[in-house]
Amino acid sequence: QVQLVESGGGLVQAGESLRLSCAASGRILSINVMGWYRQAPGKQRELVATITYAGTTNYADSVKGRFTISRDNGKNTVYLQMNSLKSEDTAVYYCNVERLRRSYNDRGSDYWGQGTQVTVSS
């Protein structure tokens, strides 16, 4: 069984920083893409940032220059450093992994974390 465990959310003031972590555990051979999505109240879930196994990153325009995504392939962990936080960053942040392979015969599956709340007060 694969689990994604997120940590690092909380309540901060505008302009402050937070660092989210997401560790995948279980039987894991490889993970293609790891990423973060967020969902604010009354809105659809949206992409925040993704990173491939090789380190290629992709960011939503709203977070470019403020957020940095990184990963530790040896630990199957992805991080999201969030700086200069704004009130509009308030949301539940979800970790996502794409094409997690558990063996060489496994074509891969996608998984979601349980979500962690980030609240930015202005």
Side-chain angles (χ1 to χ4, degrees), residues 3-19:
Q3 281 191 315
L4 301 183
V5 179
E6 299 146 337
S7 60
L11 171 63
V12 295
Q13 301 273 358
E16 294 184 340
S17 300
L18 276 176
R19 188 189 194 213

Side-chain angles (χ1 to χ4, degrees), residues 12-17 82-87 89 120-122:
V12 295
Q13 301 273 358
E16 294 184 340
S17 300
M82 305 185 293
N83 298 330
S84 302
L85 282 161
K86 305 176 181 180
S87 57
D89 295 317
V120 184
S121 62
S122 56

Side-chain angles (χ1 to χ4, degrees), residues 23-60:
S25 63
R27 183 181 176 185
I28 300 171
L29 176 62
S30 64
I31 302 174
N32 185 19
V33 180
M34 304 184 81
W36 292 94
Y37 291 71
R38 67 186 181 186
Q39 188 167 18
K43 295 188 176 181
Q44 288 190 329
R45 190 172 298 189
E46 62 178 6
L47 179 144
V48 176
T50 61
I51 183 168
T52 68
Y53 185 89
T56 301
T57 58
N58 179 48
Y59 294 94

Side-chain angles (χ1 to χ4, degrees), residues 73-84:
N73 291 327
K75 295 182 179 179
N76 294 317
T77 300
V78 62
Y79 306 96
L80 186 68
Q81 178 66 43
M82 305 185 293
N83 298 330
S84 302

